[in-house]
Amino acid sequence: MTILHVQGLAKRFGSHEVLSGIDLDVAKGERIAILGASGSGKSTLLRCINFMEMPDAGTVTLDGKVVGRRERELTAVRQRIGMVFQQFNLFPHMTALGNVMEGLRTVRRMPKAEAAARAERELARVGLSDKAAHYPAHLSGGQKQRVAIARALAMDPELLLFDEPTSALDPELVGEVLGVIRALAEEGCTMLLVTHELGFAYHVATRVIFLADGAIHEQGTPDEVLKDPKKERTRAFLARHKEFSL
Amino acid sequence: MQWDFASVLANSDALLVGAMGTLRIFAICLVAGLGLGLVVGLGRYSRRRWFYWPATAFVEFFRNTPVLVQILWFYFALPILMPFSISPLAAASLGISLNSAAFSAEIYRAGIQSIERAQWDGARALGMSFLQAMRRIILPQALKRMTPALTNRAIEIFKMSTLASAVAYVELLQQAKLIASLNFNPIEAYTAVAVIFFACLWPMVQLTYFLERRLARDE
């Protein structure tokens, strides 16, 4: 069952064309890893799907309904699509629990006790029950990102967007975040994951997309794209990455 | 010559009345000026033209005209144009509040702009509207950074309250004028007012220094 349908998505910044007509269907339970060199439009694609960036052309259809451009429709769509950022984007003036409660309280208007209980469950899910009262400044990068994931999960998203969730982390902290994402994958969460962790993409994704010059250059199963790429540019990209992952 | 503070102390009840008047106009202008300033500041930050341009015109107009002129204009000119008269308190409060709003608007705008875009992203990704994000995520952080500058504005408003004496509003300076003219002791009367203001403001200034240091430590 297709939950997200993207058609002809295009975006330019000034004279630079970042996305040039992306078509993408995402079925429930799919886990799509998006790869590509920096500047290939990976992040912009994610940000256009939940309208953090306004696409210049194309449509996004969520559950069979085309998303319009009115503020009300955009906020409604963002409530259903969770996003996790490279730099976590936690709210520094709130505790970990406060961060996770915030969407429930302000957007969902959930009563405080109920929101707190829900937030505690989400923090437990990412293994941070003991950090509920901590402010972001007192958490490690990996812990911050896990709080950010809990914050997104609390809203019961139909789709999760991960924008390079481990790129800002020290190497020894990458594992704990990938572990949480892998657990979500096992629970059947639908996700789009922009990443440079090829091994992780290979093991967790159901489909791999290679972006180049703002277009889908090659896509297929992890085995097809990562083990036996058809296109020269995909091969070159993978070769460059493998040099460093001895 | 001789200093004769006895003649001032003998009128301490009049000074007390003046002090109450000063506190009253300070409280009104603090709330109205900083409150309206937030609205104007949001206008200065807005990308909507119907909001941005009036806010910008407001800021430019009130920043570039003297408060004293504004107060006199509201007291003496406005009643000629409008079918009602206006009290000294209202005229002085209007002038000081509008002027403070113009200055504090720029503090709010700068404070809001100083919050990283990532915070907006985090809020909007949860499905927050602009106003929800502003109220829950952006303003609480921005206000913390703005506290020293806003405390400065409060000090300015406190001092500007003396301008209300130009339209005979009963506040400290107005009462000092009265005491001075009745007792022929301008030196003592005005010195007393200066000392009272210093005694009130010096702790406030120390507070801003403290806040600035604390903020610098947190960042």
Side-chain angles (χ1 to χ4, degrees):
Chain A
M1 189 186 82
T2 302
I3 58 169
L4 180 82
H5 172 68
V6 173
Q7 192 168 25
L9 205 68
K11 176 73 184 175
R12 52 171 63 242
F13 293 117
S15 63
H16 178 54
E17 190 168 47
V18 186
L19 296 177
S20 50
I22 301 273
D23 298 324
L24 178 66
D25 278 314
V26 182
K28 193 166 169 54
E30 256 197 303
R31 301 181 293 278
I32 302 178
I34 302 172
L35 312 178
S38 65
S40 59
K42 309 181 296 285
S43 290
T44 307
L45 172 58
L46 282 200
R47 294 174 62 86
C48 281
I49 286 173
N50 68 348
F51 297 90
M52 302 293 282
E53 298 288 352
M54 225 28 96
D56 296 325
T59 56
V60 174
T61 311
L62 192 61
D63 270 339
K65 209 168 158 287
V66 176
V67 180
R69 300 293 165 92
R70 285 198 310 252
E71 170 82 4
R72 193 177 289 271
E73 287 177 81
L74 301 183
T75 55
V77 163
R78 294 190 195 115
Q79 287 175 42
R80 298 168 58 188
I81 301 180
M83 189 167 207
V84 174
F85 302 89
Q86 183 178 350
Q87 299 291 345
F88 332 126
N89 300 15
L90 290 183
F91 309 131
H93 58 304
M94 296 177 183
T95 62
L97 190 72
N99 268 276
V100 182
M101 284 171 68
E102 187 54 31
L104 299 172
R105 294 280 291 142
T106 302
V107 180
R108 287 276 155 80
R109 309 223 173 270
M110 192 183 274
K112 195 170 183 177
E114 199 182 324
R118 176 68 202 264
E120 277 166 19
R121 281 206 301 280
E122 295 303 340
L123 282 179
R125 201 168 161 191
V126 298
L128 287 175
S129 293
D130 56 328
K131 302 290 181 193
H134 286 56
Y135 282 87
H138 298 118
L139 298 174
S140 72
Q143 290 167 340
K144 283 183 203 171
Q145 193 59 297
R146 283 148 69 196
V147 172
I149 293 172
R151 179 173 72 175
L153 288 174
M155 301 294 281
D156 283 322
E158 294 157 51
L159 170 68
L160 271 170
L161 308 175
F162 290 93
D163 188 3
E164 301 198 30
T166 58
S167 297
L169 299 176
D170 291 336
E172 73 271 21
L173 301 176
V174 168
E176 62 185 79
V177 172
L178 293 183
V180 167
I181 299 174
R182 184 192 296 265
L184 294 177
E186 281 159 11
E187 290 172 31
C189 288
T190 313
M191 56 178 82
L192 261 64
L193 171 73
V194 169
T195 186
H196 293 291
E197 304 282 341
L198 299 186
F200 185 73
Y202 179 77
H203 290 292
V204 169
T206 54
R207 177 158 42 131
V208 174
I209 289 178
F210 178 70
L211 278 190
D213 296 334
I216 295 178
H217 194 67
E218 180 164 4
Q219 65 175 315
T221 64
D223 273 316
E224 287 167 355
V225 177
L226 296 170
K227 287 269 169 82
D228 183 23
K230 302 278 177 292
K231 300 271 183 87
E232 184 50 43
R233 283 184 75 169
T234 317
R235 250 178 256 147
F237 172 83
L238 293 174
R240 239 178 297 129
H241 271 260
K242 277 167 190 159
E243 281 170 27
F244 298 102
S245 54
L246 302 168
Chain B
M1 66 149 279
Q2 265 183 310
W3 291 77
D4 175 23
F5 277 105
S7 62
V8 175
L9 287 174
N11 289 292
S12 55
D13 51 340
L15 282 178
L16 191 66
V17 170
M20 296 314 289
T22 295
L23 283 180
R24 191 155 156 220
I25 193 169
F26 171 65
I28 291 171
C29 295
L30 188 70
V31 173
L34 298 190
L36 180 63
L38 175 58
V39 176
V40 178
L42 288 174
R44 292 277 292 143
Y45 177 76
S46 178
R47 263 179 266 170
R48 294 166 206 270
R49 283 185 192 181
W50 59 265
F51 198 12
Y52 174 81
W53 284 111
T56 302
F58 178 92
V59 168
E60 292 306 330
F61 182 80
F62 283 100
R63 272 207 309 189
N64 295 305
T65 46
V67 193
L68 184 54
V69 174
Q70 288 161 20
I71 293 173
L72 293 173
W73 192 90
F74 283 124
Y75 191 63
F76 293 110
L78 192 62
I80 299 172
L81 302 173
M82 301 286 173
F84 54 80
S85 65
I86 182 168
S87 72
L89 174 62
S93 301
L94 262 177
I96 296 170
S97 298
L98 296 179
N99 185 275
S100 304
F103 278 96
S104 59
E106 291 303 274
I107 299 173
Y108 287 115
R109 183 190 53 75
I112 291 167
Q113 274 176 348
S114 79
I115 303 300
E116 318 64 74
R117 190 181 131 161
Q119 290 295 307
W120 282 104
D121 281 357
R124 284 166 67 222
L126 288 173
M128 285 194 201
S129 67
F130 175 85
L131 282 178
Q132 286 172 332
M134 187 60 94
R135 184 172 57 84
R136 295 288 306 164
I137 308 304
I138 306 303
L139 270 184
Q141 297 181 59
L143 276 172
K144 205 176 141 195
R145 293 185 193 177
M146 290 186 261
T147 303
L150 289 178
T151 317
N152 258 326
R153 276 325 304 165
I155 291 166
E156 282 301 318
I157 292 172
F158 199 89
K159 288 191 288 186
M160 274 195 285
S161 67
T162 54
L163 294 173
S165 66
V167 290
Y169 171 68
V170 178
E171 48 73 63
L172 273 169
L173 183 59
Q174 176 66 14
Q175 294 299 82
K177 279 187 195 170
L178 193 69
I179 294 167
S181 60
L182 291 177
N183 300 289
F184 308 107
N185 58 350
I187 293 182
E188 291 84 353
Y190 291 126
T191 304
V193 168
V195 168
I196 293 171
F197 269 95
F198 185 84
C200 293
L201 286 170
W202 192 76
M204 275 171 82
V205 174
Q206 298 311 305
L207 178 69
T208 62
Y209 291 156
F210 172 74
L211 289 172
E212 273 166 30
R213 272 200 309 273
R214 236 192 84 169
L215 206 69
R217 196 186 61 198
D218 285 354
E219 301 250 316

